[in-house]
Amino acid sequence: MMNVFDLFKRRSSAPVARERLQVLLAYERRNRSQPDLVSILREEIMAVIAKHVQIDQDYLQVSMDRGETMSTLEIDIQIPNKSAVPMAIAG
Amino acid sequence: MGKVVVVTSGKGGVGKTTSTAALGAAVAKTGKKVALVDFDVGLRNLDLIMGAERRVVFDLVNVIQGTAKLSQALIRDKRVDTLFLLPASQTRDKDSLTEEGVGEVIDKLRSVFDYVFCDSPAGIERGAQLAMRFADEAVIVTNPEVSSVRDSDRIIGLLDARTMRAEQGEQIAKHVLVTRYDAGRAARGEMLSIDDVLEILSVPLLGIIPESQDVLRASNLGAPVTLSEPLNTAAKAYIDAARRLEGEDLPVVVPFERKGFLDRLLGRRAA
């Protein structure tokens, strides 16, 4: 059983590669197309959060709504409960 | 007015320099005037691949700084007399290149040559951005492997944002050249397939160069594979890619089908 499973796993590494790339590049392209200010803010906010809790990059959404006289910056951070505990104590 | 083609990839070691030499030589062999420009200042290698390493006197940096004329720095190939090389400097660093200087050199080359191939350094920084800056077209050299495809995607982003054409609101024509393709491994699902690469990058395919000992041998001998062994599989793939670059509508055959059939027929070992 194990051997058959291993063999199967080894043979199908290309689909895994494709899927990982698709997810990663979708994320990187989204970042690239954002205006510079938003990506800078995004990185810095991520760095601040990372000092205290470990979160996935997907859990942080930063977007800028540009209005005529004023723009709105929207920051949405999701912190899973389990990752907040150990690091918060350490920090 | 000649066409300026940047050969780029982001990642190092995927075959930019080999492909620049092979494509340039293939185009020059059809009678077109071709200049190959090495932008890898400090780590030049195109001279070595072209077998011209002992003929370099002046280089791109000399021309930009005015210490040599363009005509003095261009090295004519000994095998194809419409093929020229403008080497990079070995001793300076990449900051010796200025955008204005590169622009002037490219303009002059464009007025004399039918094709100007710019061999980009690896990376996405200044050197790579200068190599692509004045290009009309781009050949993105990619290996069917995750890190190479990811870096190609970054480079495509730069081509669409940082080139002169992009800034003027024009399109830069992009082509993917898949190199070091191993048909057997792709068939066994161990390597990204051509369809995977094209779907992910969504850039049209210029050609597929099979992994081949002949390419290494050509480099050892200092000759583009399209000149030294024009009949072998990799050289043919480069020659076809060069024809597509010149606008010919030539279907791309994925090596697996061709190799499997022909090799069985001729009892040859896979190249």
Side-chain angles (χ1 to χ4, degrees):
Chain A
M1 262 313 256
M2 274 287 277
N3 282 341
V4 173
F5 185 65
D6 279 353
L7 204 67
F8 174 73
K9 227 167 67 176
R10 199 169 292 157
R11 280 191 176 181
S12 51
S13 67
V16 177
R18 183 185 55 210
E19 212 176 296
R20 288 179 57 220
L21 269 173
Q22 278 169 334
V23 171
L24 175 69
L25 294 185
Y27 168 79
E28 289 186 345
R29 284 171 191 155
R30 203 167 52 233
N31 261 8
R32 217 157 51 205
S33 61
Q34 274 176 338
D36 278 339
L37 174 64
V38 176
S39 29
I40 293 166
L41 285 173
R42 196 178 190 293
E43 261 174 43
E44 292 186 4
I45 292 165
M46 193 70 195
V48 170
I49 297 166
K51 277 191 204 166
H52 305 285
V53 286
Q54 262 191 329
I55 62 164
D56 252 34
Q57 288 177 327
D58 299 338
Y59 293 164
L60 171 65
Q61 303 290 339
V62 180
S63 62
M64 178 84 85
D65 215 3
R66 290 187 191 278
E68 260 177 49
T69 52
M70 210 183 278
S71 299
T72 320
L73 180 70
E74 194 183 324
I75 304 168
D76 181 2
I77 312 166
Q78 289 176 39
I79 299 175
N81 294 335
K82 63 171 176 17
S83 73
V85 179
M87 287 195 72
I89 293 166
Chain B
M1 280 290 261
K3 222 182 242 180
V4 180
V5 182
V6 61
V7 181
T8 185
S9 69
K11 191 173 186 299
V14 297
K16 279 183 299 294
T17 301
T18 309
S19 297
T20 305
L23 287 175
V27 173
K29 237 176 137 184
T30 67
K32 297 269 166 56
K33 280 194 86 175
V34 174
L36 309 179
V37 185
D38 192 346
F39 272 84
D40 206 345
V41 175
L43 288 171
R44 72 165 179 232
N45 272 319
L46 188 55
D47 56 332
L48 195 57
I49 300 300
M50 293 295 293
E53 70 275 13
R54 305 191 58 182
R55 300 171 63 204
V56 176
V57 181
F58 298 113
D59 56 58
L60 178 61
V61 174
N62 292 135
V63 177
I64 285 174
Q65 295 182 340
T67 49
K69 280 190 234 157
L70 182 56
S71 57
Q72 294 176 305
L74 282 168
I75 302 169
R76 186 195 288 264
D77 189 82
K78 284 188 166 165
R79 295 147 297 209
V80 181
D81 60 6
T82 52
L83 181 59
F84 290 79
L85 166 70
L86 180 55
S89 172
Q90 181 81 296
T91 50
R92 317 293 181 96
D93 59 62
K94 58 187 188 311
D95 295 330
S96 327
L97 297 180
T98 60
E99 186 177 326
E100 298 91 319
V102 170
E104 279 171 30
V105 171
I106 295 287
D107 271 349
K108 278 186 205 158
L109 290 172
R110 204 200 283 270
S111 67
V112 179
F113 290 91
D114 297 309
Y115 280 90
V116 180
F117 285 91
C118 303
D119 182 20
S120 173
I124 54 167
E125 282 155 36
R126 199 178 142 77
Q129 293 195 17
L130 276 174
M132 69 168 67
R133 183 76 182 143
F134 302 97
D136 304 306
E137 299 198 16
V139 173
I140 301 138
V141 182
T142 307
N143 292 166
E145 174 265 322
V146 282
S147 56
S148 176
V149 174
R150 181 200 205 173
D151 291 358
S152 292
D153 194 72
R154 292 286 306 270
I155 279 290
I156 290 167
L158 283 180
L159 286 164
D160 288 334
R162 300 285 173 84
T163 52
M164 213 59 165
R165 269 183 175 256
E167 283 178 7
Q168 290 165 356
E170 290 171 56
Q171 273 290 312
I172 174 160
K174 299 183 289 289
H175 318 267
V176 167
L177 183 69
V178 177
T179 55
R180 313 196 67 171
Y181 182 77
D182 186 327
R185 298 192 61 202
R188 290 192 296 275
E190 296 169 359
M191 188 182 245
L192 286 169
S193 72
I194 297 296
D195 286 343
D196 290 342
V197 174
L198 296 183
E199 191 194 322
I200 290 166
L201 295 179
S202 45
V203 168
L205 181 64
L206 185 68
I208 306 164
I209 314 300
E211 171 83 70
S212 161
Q213 292 301 311
D214 305 327
V215 175
L216 180 63
R217 185 167 57 243
S219 298
N220 287 344
L221 299 173
V225 71
T226 46
L227 294 185
S228 65
E229 306 180 54
L231 295 179
N232 81 44
T233 333
K236 278 186 182 162
Y238 271 123
I239 291 167
D240 284 354
R243 287 168 66 186
R244 287 184 203 104
L245 197 62
E246 290 196 80
E248 221 176 297
D249 186 17
L250 212 64
V252 183
V253 182
V254 179
F256 174 69
E257 297 160 20
R258 190 198 294 175
K259 199 189 275 177
F261 178 72
L262 254 186
D263 287 349
R264 228 172 295 147
L265 202 71
L266 304 175
R268 255 197 328 227
R269 243 184 292 153

